[in-house]
Every structure is written in C-alpha cells, then in structure tokens.
Amino acid sequence: MNQFLLHGGDYNPEQWLDMPEILETDIERFLEAKINTVTLGVFSWAKLEPREGDYDFEWLSGIIDRLYENGIGVILATPSGARPHWLAQKYPEVLRVNEMGMRARFGGRHNHCLTSPVYREKVRRINGRLAERFGHHPAVKMWHISNELGGSCHCGLCQEAFRRWLKDRYGTIENLNDRWCTTFWSHTYDSFEQVEAPSRLGESALMGLNLDWRRFVSDQTMDFVEEEIRAIRDAGADQPAAVNMMYRFEGLDYAKLAQKVDMVSWDSYPVWHREKEWDTARDTAFWHDVIRGLKRKPFLLMESCPSSTNWQSVSKLKKPGMLSAASLQSIAHGSEGALYFQMRQSRGASEKFHGAVIDHYGGNDTRTFREVCGVGEELNHLSELAGCATRADAAIIYDWDNIWAMKDSQGPRNKGLHYEECVDKSYRALRRLGLNVDVVDQSASLDRYRFVAAPMQYLFHPGFEERIRSFVEEGGTFVMTYWSDVVDENDRCFLGGRPFGLTDVFGLRAEEIDGLYDGEENTVIPVQALSSGSRQLANMKEQYTCRYLCELVKPLGAQILMEYGRDFYAGEPAVLCNSYGKGLACYICADTEQSFYDDLYENLVREAGIICGWNGKIPEGVEVTSRENEEYVYWFIQNYNRAEVEIEIPEGDVILGDREGILKSFGSLVIRTKKTDGKGEHKNEI
Ligand code: GLA
Ligand code: ZN
C-alpha cells in the first residue's frame, strides 16, 4: 500500500507526440497540482503495435522516464479496451456478433469477442511485451487491466463456449432441462448442441437460460481478465492489477470479478447540481460502498471528472468546491486516491469537450486547474489516511444474480419494481445516522455485522438462508423486505412456503403480492391494539405511505408492528418483527416511503445498541463517514447543502478544514480522534 493518496488520472500523451512542448508543460502543470500518478496506455494499442508484431514502446518509455524523474508514478494499462484497425481487418473473428447474428464492423471500443483465440493471443502478446519492458520500472505502480469491461458476443465461438460452460455446470441435458423448467411450452432440449444464447429472434422466455447466459458472459469476461493478468505475471511483473468498474453496472458480477484482481476501482460521474446535492452525494456514496464491499478493502477512484463530462445529457459544470467535496468523499468511503479522466483534453474526436485538468487553452490559471491544485493540497494533508480501513457494523445485501433474475422475471410489476429505490431507502436510513455501511453480496460472511438489511432479495443462493438463521440466532438484527427468498439459483420458485427455509426465523409466511398502479397508494399504520409485551417503537408517525408493491403475509408468531391502512387488506400485517435466538428478524411487507425506513431503522439500530462513534448532531445534508487504523479514527464531515451549516466539533485534531464550527457549502472537515484502547476497536462503541 502507498504511503500517500494518489492524485492524477488518465493521460494520453500519444495524442501529442508531434508537439513535445505540450508534454513538457504538462509535467510542469502536474507538479504544480501535486499530481503524483498518471494512468498511461488506455487505448494506445495502435501506437504501441502499429503493425502486427511490430512493437514500438520508445515513446512510452521516454514518457515514463520523464514522469519518474519528476517523482510521478504510473498506472500502466493493458491496451485491450480498443483495438487497432489491422487486427480487425485481418482477423474479423475479433469483432462481436449481436443477438440477431450480425457481426459488427470496425469502430468504437470495448466491443471485442472475448472468446476469440486470436484476440486473446494478441492481447497476451502485447501484455507480455509491456510487462517485460516496464514490469520492473520503478515508476510503474499498478496495472490497469483493459477498460470498463462489459457487453456480450453471440458469435459461434461464444455459443460453443457457452455450451461447454453449461456441460460443466449441469453434466447432463436432463439436469439442465430440470433446472430451467423446459417442460413449460415444450421447450425441452434433446442435447446441449440445441442450446443457443438467448435472443429476441429465438429463445428469450426461459429465465434459467437468461440467467445462465449472464453468468457465462460474466465468467468469460473474468477468464479474459485472468488471462490478461497471467500474461503480465508470466513476463515477470508483480505490481497489483486492477480493473475499473462502472456506476450501477449490471452486466458483470462485480463481486466475482473483484476476486480476480488485487484492487478494485471505479469511474464516478455523478450528475451534480440537478437534484439536491446531498441526494447525489448519498447516491454516489452508495456506489463507493458497493465497490469497497467487493473486497472489503480500500479501493481506488480511477476516474472522475474535474469539470463537466460531454456525454451526459447536459454538461453541467461542477460548482466551486464540488470537486473537492466529491474527491474527499471518495477518500472518506475508502478510496486510496482521487484520479480524473483526464489529464489533458483531447484535441479532436468524441471526447474533445470532456472536462480535463488541462484544457485546450493549456494554462494554469483556469478555475478547474486551480480547483485541482486545491484537491492536490488536501490529499497531501491527508496522506496518513492511505491504507486506512473502514469499519462498519451495518451491511446491505446487493447481489448480481438476484438483480438479474428479479428484473428478468415477468410480474409482479413489469412497469418497474423500483428495486434501486428500495435499496437506497435502507442505505439512506443508515447513513443519516452517521453509520458506515458495507454493501456486500449474498456470499459475504455476515459475522462481523450487527445489523443487516436485505432489500428485495428475490433469488437466494444455496446456503444463504442458513447464514441468515445463524446471524439472527447469534444476536444480529436482520431486516428483509417483500419479494425476498422467492426463487432458487436457477430462478425456480421455492415450494412449500416462503421466505423459504426461514418462515420460523421471521415468524410469518408470505402469501400474495399486490402490484399497485402508478399513482395508487396505500398506508401502513401502527397496530391499533398493542398486546402486552409489544415492542414500542419511538417516533413512529401515525401513518406512512406505500406504493408499487404490497405483500400479504400470514403471521406465524411474529409480532405485528404496523398494519395496512386501506384496501381489502386493511388491518393486515405490514411490518413484523420476530425474536429468534438472541436476535431479531424484521420483515417489511410494502414499498414504504423513506421516512418510514428512517424512523424504523433509528429504532432498530438503537435497540441493537449500535451507535455512530461521532457524538455530534448530524444536520440534514451533512455526511459523516469514518476510516481508521490501529491508532486513530478519522472522521469526515461534509456539507452538501448550498448554505453553510453549524456543527458541533468533537474532541480531536482537525487535520483538514477549520475549527470554527461553521462548515461552508460543499466544505469538508476531517478530524482525527485517538482510540483509547489502541486495539483496533472503536473507542465509542456502545
Ligand atoms: C469512461 C472511460 C473513459 C472516458 C470517460 C469519459 O469512464 O473509461 O475512457 O471515456 O468515460 O467520461
Ligand atoms: Zn464471440
């Protein structure tokens, strides 16, 4: 791990080789802005191998040396994100085929057949050469594998690989037929040879097939990544390898992909200044937490925009202060640095108007450049945070298989399940209490948490229910919502009542689910007749609105906290809690509004004895986040309001911002508090 936080980003000097003076000024600018790391080589293949087998690394070597002389490190990319013309011309098999069977022509990027032996071979060779040449260069700190991997190919090679993948998984065609429920509509396969990738021209209604195709695409991409990394390792390079991931990207199982690399990173381009900034901030924070949750380790903000992108529907500039707030937010949530796309704005082609640290004018007196310098200063102040961990008592389950299966199924609401909002509500309710939250998939061990929320976990992986049972048994609080534990890993409905295998833990059985029309509402209200020994929920309102989905359940011993206010199920349970073992299992039956989650979670978190170690009051629009090492907890307090706020400053050293108690709009404060026991525990915990 570095002893400092990274600051810098994507740099494409190959676009400026005929203007050496530009490259010289760039280095001056980098030093002024305290840039310590640049990413080279993303999309440089045509310059690195202009003709097949004819490698030209001289230009790159010169630049890496110059950067090194100036104390700037390099993240070196493998160039497989975009291919040169000669490759597609000579080997058309590297071009993807779509689900209609049409092969793409040359163009674009991120669009290669990842099964193609030729593509793999060409990538392996150039990676090996790069690693031989630069693998021991002291400037090279990390490998950036390809770029924003995603998408699928339906060519013959991929179809063949898919069939092999299925054979490995299911062994016999009878087993596959059983798992995919192919008797339905007489779609039974006679042999693996009949299986084709899903297509609108052909089979698209077998959910088991669709789900396995997505898994295959994900596995095939991971296999490609592994092969890329192997080529580098075989050539003797041992720097960590990272992939850059994308916001809310569902195309690959990131939880699995993360296991193939040393470090995960992502590219963050929030749409600032459209909604309230703190809504955007919470949304961005959620994805920071997803990415950190993949390895439960620090990650890297690989790309972010210093001003405005050129691909969003409106290119909104970041208002003064927002760049700092967004960069520090990533650090607060576990990033080891703040990197940009990109260092110098390209002169032509599709990204010429994308924001950059150095723009077409090239001077150091632009507003953006000055703000970048400001971030450089701030990261410098915070260098002791490098390598700090995030400790979270609360977790939210977010699982790719679940998302794939749930969104693909027909019903209970084809107009939108509002899944993302459902997850966000749990996340926001926890974050407003100042709690760090890990976002993890179903395979993560739950032992380290005390509060876990599982919003809309429609698909259950084998064994997940057992882990929930023992988590609750051991004293954890587990909250699950409607439309959970409905199907197995092949999207086959569980028989015999749901939540499958957990009806005793939750003390209920889910029976029916009502889809509500857009605009239709119901309410959930506290139960009228509190029985003796009933759980008293403080601060709950008289009623909360719910929309979209209302599940009807039969209580089997759970305590009913809230009931429906309207419709034929008025008076029936809407929120239930069941004591099980030493813990508590709660079930939310309906898509309730945010304030319901806020109030309920405040109660449950208090009952569970979880407190945020930050004792101050958290004003609306302020984010409190922490990282820690053996000795200290570092508190980040960030104001996402458009006006300044007053905050109570706790004991501790202010290492960034001032002690005045007034936090300006988009301002950040970082406070270091010493742990009293020195054993890696939160000093204020419980
Ligand atoms: C992505 C890509 C970059 C660039 C940026 C622009 O994140 O990885 O190459 O295109 O978008 O925002
Ligand atoms: Zn293919």
Side-chain angles (χ1 to χ4, degrees):
M1 205 58 82
N2 292 301
Q3 298 306 305
F4 54 87
L5 297 170
L6 308 187
H7 188 219
D10 280 27
Y11 184 42
N12 291 93
E14 69 273 22
Q15 294 169 9
W16 304 95
L17 294 180
D18 54 349
M19 297 175 83
E21 65 286 4
I22 291 255
L23 302 179
E24 277 313 303
T25 346
D26 285 351
I27 294 208
E28 272 172 45
R29 302 271 181 274
F30 294 168
L31 294 176
E32 187 179 346
K34 296 199 159 49
I35 298 299
N36 54 32
T37 307
V38 297
T39 306
L40 295 174
V42 189
F43 310 129
S44 308
W45 198 337
K47 282 276 185 219
L48 294 169
E49 189 182 359
R51 285 157 303 278
E52 186 173 8
D54 184 357
Y55 300 98
D56 174 10
F57 296 169
E58 284 317 304
W59 64 270
L60 181 59
S61 174
I63 287 163
I64 295 182
D65 289 345
R66 278 291 288 137
L67 290 164
Y68 182 62
E69 283 158 22
N70 285 282
I72 298 169
V74 168
I75 297 177
L76 190 55
T78 63
S80 64
R83 73 187 100 73
H85 253 294
W86 59 258
L87 182 51
Q89 193 177 13
K90 183 160 174 201
Y91 308 103
E93 71 165 55
V94 305
L95 300 167
R96 272 185 193 165
V97 171
N98 70 11
E99 62 172 299
M100 303 304 186
M102 290 153 71
R103 193 174 287 280
R105 302 177 71 85
F106 180 83
R109 58 175 181 172
H110 306 157
N111 54 6
H112 333 283
C113 170
L114 299 185
T115 304
S116 154
V118 171
Y119 195 65
R120 287 182 173 224
E121 173 61 12
K122 297 294 167 200
V123 171
R124 208 164 42 225
R125 282 197 188 186
I126 193 160
N127 286 7
R129 291 296 189 103
L130 283 168
E132 274 164 25
R133 178 75 181 258
F134 303 110
H136 297 286
H137 197 295
V140 176
K141 307 290 184 205
M142 191 187 286
W143 290 89
H144 179 292
I145 304 301
S146 203
N147 193 62
E148 294 193 336
L149 290 147
S152 61
C153 172
H154 287 62
C155 78
L157 295 166
C158 288
Q159 304 268 6
E160 218 11 79
F162 180 43
R163 288 188 277 268
R164 279 197 303 274
W165 184 93
L166 290 170
K167 266 185 214 158
D168 280 353
R169 194 173 174 93
Y170 298 116
T172 64
I173 198 67
E174 292 73 25
N175 188 21
L176 177 143
N177 279 317
D178 175 44
R179 299 299 191 104
W180 290 0
C181 298
T182 56
T183 310
F184 188 80
W185 287 352
S186 262
H187 286 200
T188 320
Y189 293 98
D190 304 317
S191 69
F192 281 101
E193 282 56 52
Q194 288 174 342
V195 181
E196 290 183 323
S199 161
R200 271 171 292 159
L201 279 182
E203 185 65 271
S204 63
L206 276 180
M207 276 64 207
L209 163 70
N210 297 349
L211 187 54
D212 276 339
W213 172 251
R214 303 199 75 152
R215 288 177 176 140
F216 161 75
V217 168
S218 198
D219 281 5
Q220 195 71 348
T221 308
M222 288 191 285
D223 190 61
F224 179 80
V225 167
E226 279 187 295
E227 197 161 337
E228 282 221 34
I229 297 175
R230 214 176 308 127
I232 292 164
R233 301 283 177 247
D234 289 348
D238 58 7
Q239 298 93 336
V243 284
N244 55 337
M245 299 176 167
M246 294 175 273
Y247 170 72
R248 295 206 182 250
F249 184 65
E250 294 178 1
L252 299 174
D253 186 334
Y254 277 167
K256 282 171 129 189
L257 176 58
Q259 308 317 312
K260 307 288 178 196
V261 292
D262 304 300
M263 190 172 208
V264 288
S265 72
W266 77 289
D267 304 339
S268 171
Y269 295 98
V271 182
W272 292 110
H273 313 305
R274 188 177 62 189
E275 321 288 341
K276 274 193 230 130
E277 277 79 8
W278 52 283
D279 272 334
T280 313
R282 293 245 159 105
D283 187 47
T284 310
F286 172 73
W287 205 253
H288 283 312
D289 289 349
V290 169
I291 298 290
R292 191 192 64 245
L294 297 174
K295 286 180 102 59
R296 295 201 270 204
K297 274 197 201 152
F299 62 94
L300 188 58
L301 175 65
M302 191 65 92
E303 293 179 24
S304 62
C305 185
S307 57
S308 68
T309 70
N310 71 331
W311 52 265
Q312 285 161 338
S313 57
V314 172
S315 299
K316 173 63 70 190
L317 292 175
K318 281 195 167 87
K319 294 187 193 298
M322 187 43 80
L323 181 65
S324 157
S327 305
L328 295 179
Q329 184 191 33
S330 74
I331 309 295
H333 285 266
S335 177
E336 289 293 284
L339 304 181
Y340 311 111
F341 182 88
Q342 58 181 343
M343 301 310 299
R344 174 175 275 277
Q345 203 164 29
S346 64
R347 187 161 193 190
S350 73
E351 288 182 341
K352 60 185 177 297
F353 297 125
H354 194 288
V357 173
I358 304 166
D359 64 11
H360 296 140
Y361 152 62
N364 60 356
D365 53 350
T366 62
R367 184 179 72 92
T368 298
F369 188 79
R370 298 315 323 162
E371 295 220 11
V372 168
C373 290
V375 175
E377 285 291 332
E378 290 170 335
L379 297 185
N380 228 19
H381 275 298
L382 298 179
S383 54
E384 65 188 271
L385 268 118
C388 278
T390 300
R391 185 201 149 107
D393 286 330
I396 294 181
I397 307 292
Y398 183 90
D399 188 280
W400 273 263
D401 272 337
N402 172 55
I403 294 171
W404 292 340
M406 182 168 57
K407 291 192 175 178
D408 189 43
S409 273
Q410 290 182 285
R413 216 178 173 279
N414 299 329
K415 288 195 77 176
L417 293 165
H418 295 267
Y419 166 71
E420 285 77 13
E421 291 96 313
C422 178
V423 177
D424 278 351
K425 285 175 197 167
S426 283
Y427 183 75
R428 283 164 193 247
L430 292 167
R431 288 291 297 141
R432 67 183 271 283
L433 302 173
L435 297 174
N436 287 340
V437 179
D438 276 356
V439 184
V440 294
D441 81 340
Q442 287 183 18
S443 69
S445 128
L446 304 179
D447 301 351
R448 65 178 77 183
Y449 305 114
R450 301 168 63 200
F451 183 99
V452 175
M456 298 179 82
Q457 291 300 303
Y458 161 81
L459 176 146
F460 259 46
H461 288 274
F464 187 43
E465 74 269 18
E466 276 317 308
R467 276 180 299 113
I468 295 173
R469 177 184 297 277
S470 49
F471 174 77
V472 179
E473 231 161 27
E474 292 306 313
T477 301
F478 196 93
V479 181
M480 192 154 83
T481 76
Y482 54 95
W483 212 226
S484 288
D485 200 1
V486 182
V487 300
D488 70 8
E489 80 275 21
N490 289 108
D491 197 54
R492 291 182 305 187
C493 292
F494 288 121
L495 305 179
R498 62 181 178 83
F500 178 71
L502 291 172
T503 47
D504 58 334
V505 175
F506 286 91
L508 59 87
R509 184 165 60 74
E511 295 191 305
E512 294 180 276
I513 187 157
D514 190 19
L516 275 58
Y517 294 113
D518 286 352
E520 195 183 351
E521 285 179 359
N522 201 326
T523 55
V524 301
I525 54 179
V527 275
Q528 302 303 322
L530 279 177
S531 55
S532 65
S534 286
R535 188 175 301 276
Q536 296 294 320
L537 292 178
N539 307 326
M540 296 299 280
K541 295 198 195 73
E542 285 299 294
Q543 72 169 51
Y544 299 90
T545 307
C546 58
R547 304 199 294 171
Y548 304 127
L549 289 169
C550 292
E551 199 166 68
L552 311 186
V553 306
K554 182 180 172 138
L556 302 172
Q559 191 177 24
I560 305 161
L561 302 182
M562 311 280 284
E563 59 192 29
Y564 285 111
R566 300 188 199 145
D567 214 323
F568 72 90
Y569 40 90
E572 301 219 9
V575 181
L576 306 92
C577 273
N578 194 42
S579 298
Y580 183 83
K582 291 185 239 154
L584 193 66
C586 298
Y587 198 86
I588 301 173
C589 302
D591 186 352
T592 47
E593 62 185 306
Q594 180 70 53
S595 61
F596 166 80
Y597 279 87
D598 292 348
D599 296 344
L600 179 73
Y601 281 23
E602 205 172 319
N603 275 287
L604 294 178
V605 160
R606 190 184 316 110
E607 271 186 41
I610 304 167
I611 56 161
C612 158
W614 163 268
N615 293 321
K617 186 172 165 301
I618 304 174
E620 191 167 67
V622 169
E623 270 229 319
V624 173
T625 319
S626 67
R627 281 178 81 169
E628 61 187 69
N629 56 25
E630 290 286 298
E631 232 183 312
Y632 297 110
V633 180
Y634 297 88
W635 294 99
F636 284 72
I637 297 100
Q638 297 200 283
N639 177 17
Y640 285 100
N641 292 290
R642 292 199 180 180
E644 60 183 32
V645 290
E646 218 173 304
I647 52 153
E648 300 161 40
I649 310 237
E651 286 302 302
D653 315 319
V654 176
I655 58 170
L656 195 87
D658 54 45
R659 270 218 148 262
E660 297 307 300
I662 301 287
L663 199 51
K664 66 176 193 318
S665 170
F666 310 148
S668 306
L669 193 61
V670 183
I671 296 166
R672 178 178 59 199
T673 56
K674 193 153 176 56
K675 290 179 175 172
T676 46
D677 60 9
K679 288 203 200 93
E681 296 283 313
H682 261 314
K683 77 164 180 189
N684 288 330
E685 201 196 355
I686 329 297

